[in-house]
Amino acid sequence: MSKQNETLHKRLLERIDADYDQSHDNQRQSYDDRRFCFVQGAQWDGDIGRQFEGRPKFEFNKIQLSVIRIYNEWAKNRFTVEFRPQNNAADTDTADNLQELFRADERDSNADEAYSTAFMEGISGGIGAIMLEAKYDDEDGDDDEYQRIRIKPIFEADTMVYWDSNARRYDKADAKHVTIVTSMSKHQFKEKYKKEPASFDDLQGYRFDWRDGDNVRVAEHFELTTRQVEVTKLSHPEGGEPVKLYEDDEDYDQQLDTYMVQGYEIDFVKKVKRKEVKGYVLSGSEIVEKLGVIAGEYLPVAPFYGKRMYVSGREVTQGHVGLSRDAQIAFNLKMSGLIDLASRPQDETPIFTPAQVKGHEGQWASKEVERKPYLTINPTKDANGNLVAVGPQAYTKAPVIPQAMGALIESSGALIGELTGKDSNSEQLHSNVSAEAVEMVQERVDGQSLIYLDNFAKTMAHVGRIWLSMAQTVYDEQERPMAGVKHDDTDSKVIINKPTIKDGQLAYENDMQGGKYKVVVDIGEAFATQRDKTVKRMIQMLPLSTDPQDSKVLYNTILANQDGEGMRDVSAYARKNLINMGVTEPDEQEQKEMEAAQQASANQPPDAQTQYFEAEAAKALAGAEKAKADTQKTLAEVDETRADTAKTLFEMQREQQQTQQTMQEMMVILQAMQQSQLANEQQIKQEVTPPPEQPMPDMGQMEQMMGDMPDGMPPMEGM
């Protein structure tokens, strides 16, 4: 081992030793509580077991039942990690896709095992943990470049995980390092690391024992470092996504010059903290392997604590077992003593001298088994050889059960129930109580486990933060198709970092690195439980529906949410009905199937019956078209007749107007003729009748008279 690695190894050993010294007592208590709850015989460990050596030692494990009840309450709920946009660069669509990718990673890595292991260890002993790591999809494939994030269980976290002793936060986000210790045989060590395990003789000065009997202890140590880095933010005057460059990037200068040539301008330059996680594998004697840089900005372990507090500067954790251990021990003691007394013979046992039972020991020893009608003893003689009265010397007393024992058994049993949070009322419900009353009692029982559910929600939130930080590092390929899982456990497909044009600029859909997201946890019923409640509510609503269409929707929803043997086809049939009615949106696979069915239906030749109906329909259509044409012809002829009639009427109207105009002109001529005739008649009268003598008119009057004479009058004689 080089001098540098030797120095690093010594530094890590001292760090692990300090963490172990700070947390060992608390973690040992957690381990003992888990053993007490789950290991047969562990409730008689220590002085109690030695005190009752050779006597009946029974266990009536009431504590384990209460732990299982809390676990069942947890299993009925679903802890959903949600990602929400936190800045302008983030969007809700990408957040939804992040959730789908997270669920897919959960499913593919069997995260349920990691969650259930951590929760069970946390509620029993007080300490659990979950680990995340980035792995290639195909570890053995030469061409596999894609990584997925895996969520792994950590078994016996109270003996394997040692946190930075200076960390104070629940999620250990402020920790600078964490160690995960495993034990393996020397053969396993050699097989995995291709090295011979070293001797441990030089490790006597360390408190943490790197030996586990004949096995070797190996530690994965993760170290978080933070350094100041100068970041330059650039933007283009014409818009588009801003760019950030870090001075420790390999091609920082080249990238900066390229962007400046493209017209980008520097917005600001400032110092920021940049986090980096490195991993090492070490044994007690050397650095076995350097894991390099670990994806993300968090230590890849999320802790879970049942209950947690600090006392005198030391972290103290506790599960559901610790408080009730003494009550459980007292109950076991009294019940074992009672059974021991009850198993003893209830008759008074006679006491004989050795001489009286010599040779008859066997029948006296088996008297409770063989139940003989009588037993024999040897005759007894006095000092003179005379026979004396034969009989037992005395009798033992029958065992008497102390009155206090019954009271102690009852009180210790009640004390266990009180300390574990068991509500006896929940087990004494009668069959005729209302559903509301049952739910109220159940809520009271569930409320006793809320502290564990609340703490596990904190753990899940940190799992989400670790996953998101890893995803923003690992999921960086352009247009990479990835499997997702929707909220109802159906499959989906997500394409990350897909190029697109937005506002005239190049952008990326589902850009993992493009925005900032916060992580929240929603606690709700598991999907199976939600589905059962949905079916129950739909059944209650079905009789109230009066609209046939609504009833059909409710009925198909009930069928679609059924599961069990033989129900798969029925459920699929009901889902298709809901899709056809527009109630449910088809997924990608269903959409493809619908399009394929429509295409196949369009290309398939019709059968004979369909052809007959199509021919009849075509014949009827042709007849209808002919009738339509005849109708149109008739209408055209009618229109032509109407046009001729209109023309005739127009000509008649014009002739009538011309006749009226001629008549008017003739009337004017007649009127003029009548006026001329009247004027002539008056002139003739004047000529026949001499006018009276009048003074001779002057020249002006004469001219006026001449002007008044009608046209065409013959000139007067002499004029």
Side-chain angles (χ1 to χ4, degrees), residues 476-546:
D476 60 347
E477 300 89 355
Q478 184 170 315
E479 289 192 274
R480 173 183 173 182
M482 302 182 68
V485 176
K486 296 182 180 179
H487 67 92
D488 58 353
D489 294 337
T490 58
D491 294 335
S492 65
K493 188 166 109 176
V494 178
I495 299 178
I496 63 173
N497 303 321
K498 183 178 179 181
T500 185
I501 300 299
K502 183 178 180 181
D503 298 331
Q505 299 290 330
L506 177 64
Y508 291 89
E509 293 180 1
N510 299 323
D511 183 5
M512 300 293 104
Q513 296 79 25
K516 190 175 182 181
Y517 299 87
K518 64 179 178 180
V519 181
V520 296
V521 174
D522 180 37
I523 305 176
E525 293 175 332
F527 181 70
T529 306
Q530 290 178 348
R531 184 172 54 192
D532 292 341
K533 282 198 171 183
T534 298
V535 171
K536 183 177 179 181
R537 290 169 183 166
M538 292 293 179
I539 292 175
Q540 292 173 348
M541 293 170 60
L542 191 58
L544 303 177
S545 176
T546 57

Coordinates of all heavy atoms in Angstrom, one line a residue, residues 476-546:
D476 N -28.7 12.0 -18.1 CA -28.3 13.1 -18.9 C -28.2 12.9 -20.4 O -27.7 13.7 -21.2 CB -26.9 13.7 -18.4 CG -25.8 12.6 -18.5 OD1 -26.1 11.4 -18.8 OD2 -24.6 13.0 -18.4
E477 N -28.5 11.7 -20.9 CA -28.4 11.3 -22.3 C -29.6 12.1 -23.1 O -30.7 12.2 -22.6 CB -28.6 9.8 -22.5 CG -27.5 9.0 -21.8 CD -27.8 8.6 -20.4 OE1 -28.9 9.0 -20.0 OE2 -27.1 7.9 -19.8
Q478 N -29.2 12.4 -24.3 CA -30.2 13.1 -25.1 C -31.1 12.1 -25.8 O -30.7 11.1 -26.3 CB -29.5 13.9 -26.2 CG -30.4 14.8 -27.1 CD -29.7 15.7 -28.0 OE1 -28.8 16.4 -27.5 NE2 -30.0 15.8 -29.2
E479 N -32.5 12.4 -25.7 CA -33.5 11.6 -26.3 C -33.4 10.1 -25.9 O -33.6 9.2 -26.6 CB -33.5 11.7 -27.8 CG -33.9 13.0 -28.4 CD -34.1 12.9 -29.9 OE1 -33.1 13.1 -30.6 OE2 -35.3 12.7 -30.3
R480 N -33.2 9.9 -24.6 CA -33.1 8.5 -24.0 C -34.5 8.1 -23.7 O -35.2 8.7 -22.8 CB -32.2 8.5 -22.8 CG -32.2 7.1 -22.1 CD -31.4 7.1 -20.9 NE -31.5 5.9 -20.1 CZ -30.9 5.6 -18.9 NH1 -30.1 6.6 -18.4 NH2 -31.1 4.5 -18.3
P481 N -35.0 7.0 -24.2 CA -36.3 6.5 -23.8 C -36.2 5.7 -22.5 O -35.3 4.9 -22.4 CB -36.7 5.6 -25.0 CG -35.4 5.1 -25.6 CD -34.4 6.2 -25.4
M482 N -37.1 5.9 -21.6 CA -37.0 5.3 -20.3 C -38.4 4.8 -19.9 O -39.4 5.4 -20.2 CB -36.4 6.2 -19.2 CG -35.1 6.8 -19.5 SD -34.4 7.9 -18.2 CE -34.2 6.7 -16.9
A483 N -38.4 3.7 -19.2 CA -39.7 3.1 -18.7 C -40.1 3.9 -17.4 O -39.3 4.3 -16.6 CB -39.5 1.7 -18.3
G484 N -41.4 4.2 -17.3 CA -42.0 4.9 -16.2 C -43.2 4.1 -15.7 O -43.6 3.1 -16.3
V485 N -43.7 4.5 -14.5 CA -44.8 3.9 -13.9 C -45.7 5.0 -13.4 O -45.3 5.9 -12.6 CB -44.4 3.0 -12.7 CG1 -45.7 2.4 -12.0 CG2 -43.5 1.8 -13.2
K486 N -47.0 5.0 -13.8 CA -48.0 6.0 -13.4 C -48.5 5.7 -12.0 O -48.2 4.7 -11.4 CB -49.1 6.0 -14.4 CG -48.7 6.4 -15.8 CD -49.9 6.5 -16.7 CE -49.6 6.9 -18.2 NZ -50.7 6.9 -19.1
H487 N -49.3 6.6 -11.5 CA -49.8 6.6 -10.1 C -50.7 5.3 -9.9 O -50.8 4.9 -8.8 CB -50.6 7.8 -9.8 CG -51.9 7.9 -10.6 ND1 -53.1 7.4 -10.1 CD2 -52.1 8.5 -11.8 CE1 -54.0 7.7 -11.0 NE2 -53.5 8.3 -12.0
D488 N -51.3 4.8 -11.0 CA -52.1 3.6 -10.8 C -51.4 2.3 -11.1 O -52.0 1.3 -11.4 CB -53.4 3.7 -11.7 CG -53.1 3.9 -13.1 OD1 -51.9 4.0 -13.5 OD2 -54.0 3.9 -14.0
D489 N -50.0 2.4 -11.1 CA -49.2 1.2 -11.4 C -49.2 0.7 -12.8 O -48.8 -0.4 -13.1 CB -49.5 0.1 -10.4 CG -49.2 0.4 -9.0 OD1 -48.4 1.3 -8.7 OD2 -49.8 -0.1 -8.1
T490 N -49.7 1.5 -13.8 CA -49.6 1.1 -15.2 C -48.3 1.7 -15.8 O -47.7 2.7 -15.3 CB -50.8 1.7 -15.9 OG1 -50.9 3.1 -15.8 CG2 -52.1 1.1 -15.4
D491 N -47.8 1.0 -16.8 CA -46.5 1.4 -17.4 C -46.7 2.6 -18.3 O -47.8 2.9 -18.9 CB -46.0 0.2 -18.3 CG -45.6 -1.0 -17.4 OD1 -45.3 -0.8 -16.2 OD2 -45.6 -2.1 -17.9
S492 N -45.6 3.4 -18.4 CA -45.6 4.5 -19.3 C -44.2 4.6 -19.9 O -43.2 3.9 -19.5 CB -45.9 5.8 -18.6 OG -44.9 6.1 -17.6
K493 N -44.0 5.5 -20.9 CA -42.7 5.7 -21.5 C -42.3 7.2 -21.5 O -43.2 8.0 -21.9 CB -42.7 5.2 -23.0 CG -41.3 5.2 -23.6 CD -41.3 4.4 -24.9 CE -41.2 5.3 -26.1 NZ -41.1 4.5 -27.4
V494 N -41.1 7.5 -21.0 CA -40.7 8.9 -20.9 C -39.4 9.0 -21.7 O -38.5 8.2 -21.6 CB -40.4 9.2 -19.4 CG1 -39.9 10.6 -19.3 CG2 -41.7 9.0 -18.6
I495 N -39.4 10.1 -22.6 CA -38.2 10.4 -23.3 C -37.6 11.6 -22.7 O -38.2 12.7 -22.7 CB -38.5 10.6 -24.8 CG1 -39.1 9.3 -25.4 CG2 -37.3 11.0 -25.6 CD1 -39.6 9.5 -26.9
I496 N -36.4 11.5 -22.2 CA -35.7 12.6 -21.5 C -34.8 13.4 -22.4 O -34.4 12.9 -23.4 CB -34.9 12.1 -20.3 CG1 -33.7 11.2 -20.7 CG2 -35.8 11.4 -19.3 CD1 -32.8 10.8 -19.6
N497 N -34.7 14.7 -22.1 CA -33.8 15.6 -22.9 C -34.1 15.5 -24.4 O -33.2 15.4 -25.2 CB -32.3 15.2 -22.6 CG -32.0 15.2 -21.1 OD1 -32.4 16.1 -20.4 ND2 -31.2 14.3 -20.7
K498 N -35.3 15.7 -24.7 CA -35.8 15.7 -26.1 C -35.7 17.1 -26.7 O -36.4 18.0 -26.2 CB -37.2 15.1 -26.2 CG -37.7 15.0 -27.6 CD -39.1 14.4 -27.6 CE -39.7 14.3 -29.0 NZ -41.1 13.7 -29.0
P499 N -34.9 17.3 -27.8 CA -34.8 18.6 -28.4 C -36.1 19.1 -29.0 O -36.9 18.3 -29.5 CB -33.7 18.4 -29.5 CG -33.0 17.1 -29.1 CD -34.0 16.3 -28.4
T500 N -36.4 20.4 -28.8 CA -37.6 21.0 -29.3 C -37.3 22.5 -29.5 O -36.3 23.0 -29.1 CB -38.8 20.8 -28.4 OG1 -40.0 21.3 -29.0 CG2 -38.6 21.5 -27.1
I501 N -38.2 23.1 -30.2 CA -38.1 24.6 -30.4 C -39.1 25.3 -29.6 O -40.3 25.0 -29.6 CB -38.3 24.9 -31.9 CG1 -37.3 24.2 -32.8 CG2 -38.3 26.5 -32.1 CD1 -35.9 24.6 -32.5
K502 N -38.7 26.2 -28.7 CA -39.5 26.9 -27.8 C -39.2 28.4 -27.9 O -38.1 28.8 -27.7 CB -39.4 26.4 -26.4 CG -40.3 27.1 -25.4 CD -40.0 26.5 -24.0 CE -41.0 27.2 -23.0 NZ -40.7 26.7 -21.6
D503 N -40.2 29.2 -28.3 CA -40.0 30.6 -28.5 C -38.9 30.9 -29.5 O -38.1 31.9 -29.3 CB -39.7 31.3 -27.2 CG -40.9 31.2 -26.2 OD1 -42.0 31.1 -26.7 OD2 -40.6 31.2 -25.0
G504 N -38.8 30.1 -30.6 CA -37.8 30.3 -31.6 C -36.4 29.9 -31.2 O -35.5 30.1 -31.9
Q505 N -36.3 29.2 -30.0 CA -35.0 28.8 -29.5 C -34.9 27.3 -29.3 O -36.0 26.7 -29.0 CB -34.6 29.6 -28.2 CG -34.5 31.1 -28.4 CD -33.3 31.5 -29.2 OE1 -32.3 30.9 -29.2 NE2 -33.5 32.6 -29.9
L506 N -33.7 26.7 -29.3 CA -33.6 25.3 -29.0 C -33.8 25.1 -27.5 O -33.2 25.8 -26.7 CB -32.2 24.8 -29.4 CG -31.9 23.4 -29.1 CD1 -32.8 22.4 -29.9 CD2 -30.4 23.1 -29.4
A507 N -34.7 24.1 -27.2 CA -34.9 23.8 -25.8 C -35.0 22.3 -25.7 O -34.9 21.6 -26.7 CB -36.2 24.5 -25.3
Y508 N -35.2 21.8 -24.5 CA -35.2 20.3 -24.3 C -36.4 20.0 -23.4 O -36.6 20.6 -22.3 CB -34.0 19.8 -23.6 CG -32.7 19.9 -24.5 CD1 -32.0 21.0 -24.5 CD2 -32.4 18.8 -25.3 CE1 -30.9 21.1 -25.4 CE2 -31.3 18.9 -26.2 CZ -30.5 20.0 -26.2 OH -29.5 20.1 -27.0
E509 N -37.2 19.0 -23.8 CA -38.3 18.5 -23.0 C -37.8 17.5 -22.0 O -36.9 16.7 -22.3 CB -39.4 17.8 -23.9 CG -40.1 18.8 -24.8 CD -41.2 18.1 -25.6 OE1 -41.3 16.8 -25.5 OE2 -41.8 18.7 -26.4
N510 N -38.4 17.5 -20.8 CA -37.9 16.6 -19.7 C -36.4 16.7 -19.4 O -35.7 15.7 -19.4 CB -38.3 15.1 -20.0 CG -39.8 14.9 -20.2 OD1 -40.6 15.5 -19.5 ND2 -40.2 14.1 -21.1
D511 N -36.0 17.9 -19.3 CA -34.6 18.2 -19.0 C -34.3 18.0 -17.6 O -34.8 18.8 -16.7 CB -34.2 19.6 -19.5 CG -32.8 20.0 -19.3 OD1 -32.0 19.1 -18.9 OD2 -32.4 21.1 -19.5
M512 N -33.6 16.9 -17.2 CA -33.4 16.6 -15.8 C -32.5 17.7 -15.1 O -32.7 17.9 -13.9 CB -32.7 15.3 -15.7 CG -33.4 14.1 -16.2 SD -34.9 13.7 -15.4 CE -36.2 14.3 -16.5
Q513 N -31.7 18.3 -15.8 CA -30.8 19.3 -15.2 C -31.3 20.7 -15.4 O -30.7 21.7 -14.8 CB -29.4 19.2 -15.9 CG -28.6 17.9 -15.7 CD -29.1 16.8 -16.6 OE1 -29.7 17.1 -17.7 NE2 -29.0 15.6 -16.2
G514 N -32.4 20.9 -16.1 CA -32.8 22.3 -16.5 C -33.5 23.1 -15.4 O -33.6 24.3 -15.5
G515 N -34.0 22.4 -14.4 CA -34.8 23.1 -13.4 C -34.5 22.6 -12.0 O -33.8 21.7 -11.7
K516 N -35.1 23.3 -11.0 CA -34.9 23.0 -9.6 C -36.3 22.5 -9.1 O -37.3 23.2 -9.3 CB -34.4 24.2 -8.8 CG -34.0 23.9 -7.4 CD -33.4 25.1 -6.8 CE -32.9 24.9 -5.4 NZ -32.4 26.1 -4.7
Y517 N -36.3 21.4 -8.4 CA -37.5 20.8 -7.9 C -37.4 20.5 -6.4 O -36.3 20.2 -5.9 CB -37.8 19.5 -8.6 CG -38.0 19.7 -10.1 CD1 -36.9 19.6 -11.0 CD2 -39.3 19.9 -10.7 CE1 -37.1 19.8 -12.3 CE2 -39.4 20.0 -12.0 CZ -38.3 20.0 -12.9 OH -38.5 20.2 -14.2
K518 N -38.5 20.6 -5.7 CA -38.6 20.3 -4.3 C -39.3 18.9 -4.2 O -40.1 18.5 -5.0 CB -39.2 21.3 -3.5 CG -40.7 21.6 -3.8 CD -41.3 22.7 -2.9 CE -42.7 22.9 -3.2 NZ -43.3 24.0 -2.3
V519 N -39.0 18.2 -3.1 CA -39.5 16.9 -2.9 C -40.5 16.9 -1.7 O -40.1 17.4 -0.6 CB -38.4 15.9 -2.6 CG1 -39.0 14.5 -2.4 CG2 -37.4 15.9 -3.7
V520 N -41.7 16.4 -1.9 CA -42.7 16.2 -0.8 C -43.2 14.8 -0.8 O -43.1 14.1 -1.8 CB -43.9 17.2 -1.0 CG1 -43.4 18.7 -0.9 CG2 -44.6 17.0 -2.3
V521 N -43.7 14.4 0.3 CA -44.3 13.0 0.4 C -45.7 13.1 0.8 O -46.1 13.8 1.7 CB -43.5 12.2 1.5 CG1 -44.1 10.9 1.7 CG2 -42.0 12.0 1.1
D522 N -46.5 12.4 0.0 CA -48.0 12.3 0.3 C -48.3 10.9 0.8 O -47.9 9.9 0.2 CB -48.7 12.6 -1.0 CG -50.3 12.5 -0.8 OD1 -50.7 12.9 0.3 OD2 -51.0 11.9 -1.7
I523 N -48.9 10.9 2.0 CA -49.3 9.6 2.6 C -50.7 9.3 2.4 O -51.6 10.1 2.7 CB -49.0 9.7 4.2 CG1 -47.6 10.1 4.4 CG2 -49.3 8.3 4.8 CD1 -47.3 10.2 5.9
G524 N -51.0 8.3 1.7 CA -52.4 7.9 1.4 C -52.5 6.4 1.4 O -51.5 5.6 1.7
E525 N -53.7 5.9 1.2 CA -53.9 4.5 1.1 C -53.2 3.8 0.0 O -53.0 4.4 -1.1 CB -55.4 4.2 1.1 CG -56.2 4.6 2.3 CD -57.7 4.5 2.1 OE1 -58.1 4.5 1.0 OE2 -58.3 4.3 3.1
A526 N -52.8 2.6 0.2 CA -52.2 1.8 -0.9 C -53.2 1.7 -2.1 O -54.4 1.8 -1.8 CB -51.7 0.5 -0.4
F527 N -52.6 1.5 -3.3 CA -53.5 1.5 -4.4 C -54.6 0.4 -4.3 O -55.7 0.6 -4.7 CB -52.7 1.2 -5.7 CG -53.5 1.2 -7.0 CD1 -54.1 2.4 -7.4 CD2 -53.7 0.0 -7.7 CE1 -54.8 2.4 -8.6 CE2 -54.4 0.0 -8.8 CZ -55.0 1.2 -9.3
A528 N -54.2 -0.8 -3.8 CA -55.2 -1.9 -3.6 C -56.3 -1.5 -2.7 O -57.5 -1.7 -2.9 CB -54.5 -3.1 -3.1
T529 N -55.9 -0.8 -1.6 CA -56.9 -0.3 -0.7 C -57.8 0.7 -1.3 O -59.0 0.8 -1.1 CB -56.3 0.2 0.6 OG1 -55.4 -0.8 1.1 CG2 -57.3 0.6 1.7
Q530 N -57.2 1.7 -2.0 CA -58.0 2.7 -2.7 C -59.0 2.1 -3.7 O -60.1 2.5 -3.8 CB -57.1 3.6 -3.5 CG -56.2 4.5 -2.6 CD -55.3 5.4 -3.4 OE1 -55.1 5.2 -4.6 NE2 -54.7 6.3 -2.8
R531 N -58.5 1.0 -4.4 CA -59.4 0.4 -5.4 C -60.6 -0.3 -4.7 O -61.7 -0.2 -5.1 CB -58.6 -0.7 -6.1 CG -59.4 -1.4 -7.2 CD -58.4 -2.2 -8.1 NE -57.7 -3.1 -7.2 CZ -56.6 -3.8 -7.6 NH1 -56.2 -3.7 -8.9 NH2 -56.0 -4.7 -6.8
D532 N -60.3 -1.0 -3.5 CA -61.4 -1.6 -2.8 C -62.4 -0.6 -2.3 O -63.6 -0.8 -2.4 CB -60.8 -2.3 -1.6 CG -60.0 -3.5 -2.0 OD1 -60.2 -4.0 -3.1 OD2 -59.2 -4.0 -1.2
K533 N -61.9 0.6 -1.8 CA -62.9 1.6 -1.4 C -63.7 2.2 -2.6 O -64.8 2.5 -2.4 CB -62.1 2.7 -0.7 CG -61.7 2.4 0.8 CD -61.4 3.6 1.6 CE -61.2 3.3 3.0 NZ -60.9 4.5 3.9
T534 N -63.0 2.3 -3.7 CA -63.7 2.8 -4.9 C -64.8 1.9 -5.3 O -66.0 2.3 -5.6 CB -62.7 2.9 -6.1 OG1 -61.7 3.9 -5.7 CG2 -63.4 3.4 -7.3
V535 N -64.6 0.6 -5.3 CA -65.6 -0.4 -5.6 C -66.8 -0.3 -4.6 O -67.9 -0.3 -5.0 CB -65.0 -1.8 -5.6 CG1 -66.1 -2.9 -5.7 CG2 -64.0 -2.0 -6.7
K536 N -66.4 -0.2 -3.3 CA -67.5 -0.1 -2.3 C -68.3 1.1 -2.5 O -69.6 1.1 -2.4 CB -66.8 -0.1 -0.9 CG -67.8 0.0 0.2 CD -67.0 -0.1 1.6 CE -68.0 0.0 2.7 NZ -67.3 0.0 4.0
R537 N -67.7 2.3 -2.8 CA -68.5 3.5 -3.0 C -69.3 3.4 -4.3 O -70.5 3.9 -4.3 CB -67.6 4.7 -3.1 CG -66.9 5.0 -1.7 CD -65.8 6.0 -1.9 NE -65.1 6.3 -0.6 CZ -64.0 6.9 -0.5 NH1 -63.4 7.4 -1.6 NH2 -63.4 7.2 0.7
M538 N -68.8 2.8 -5.3 CA -69.6 2.7 -6.6 C -70.8 1.8 -6.4 O -71.9 2.1 -6.9 CB -68.7 2.1 -7.7 CG -67.6 3.0 -8.1 SD -68.2 4.5 -9.0 CE -66.7 5.4 -9.3
I539 N -70.6 0.7 -5.6 CA -71.8 -0.1 -5.3 C -72.8 0.6 -4.6 O -74.0 0.4 -4.8 CB -71.3 -1.4 -4.6 CG1 -70.4 -2.3 -5.5 CG2 -72.4 -2.2 -4.0 CD1 -69.8 -3.4 -4.8
Q540 N -72.4 1.5 -3.6 CA -73.4 2.3 -2.9 C -74.1 3.3 -3.8 O -75.3 3.6 -3.6 CB -72.7 3.0 -1.7 CG -72.2 2.0 -0.6 CD -71.4 2.7 0.4 OE1 -71.0 3.9 0.3 NE2 -71.1 2.0 1.5
M541 N -73.4 3.8 -4.8 CA -74.0 4.8 -5.6 C -74.9 4.2 -6.7 O -75.8 4.9 -7.2 CB -72.8 5.6 -6.3 CG -72.0 6.5 -5.3 SD -70.6 7.2 -6.1 CE -71.3 8.1 -7.5
L542 N -74.6 3.0 -7.1 CA -75.3 2.4 -8.2 C -76.8 2.4 -8.1 O -77.6 2.8 -9.0 CB -74.8 0.9 -8.4 CG -75.3 0.2 -9.7 CD1 -74.8 1.0 -10.9 CD2 -74.7 -1.2 -9.8
P543 N -77.4 2.0 -6.9 CA -78.9 2.1 -6.8 C -79.5 3.5 -6.8 O -80.6 3.7 -7.1 CB -79.2 1.5 -5.4 CG -77.9 0.7 -5.1 CD -76.8 1.5 -5.7
L544 N -78.6 4.5 -6.6 CA -79.1 5.9 -6.6 C -79.1 6.5 -8.0 O -79.7 7.6 -8.2 CB -78.2 6.8 -5.7 CG -78.1 6.3 -4.2 CD1 -77.1 7.2 -3.5 CD2 -79.5 6.3 -3.5
S545 N -78.5 5.9 -9.0 CA -78.4 6.4 -10.3 C -79.7 6.1 -11.1 O -80.2 5.0 -11.1 CB -77.2 5.8 -11.0 OG -77.2 6.3 -12.4
T546 N -80.3 7.2 -11.7 CA -81.5 7.0 -12.5 C -81.2 7.1 -14.0 O -82.1 6.7 -14.8 CB -82.5 8.1 -12.1 OG1 -81.9 9.4 -12.3 CG2 -82.9 8.0 -10.6

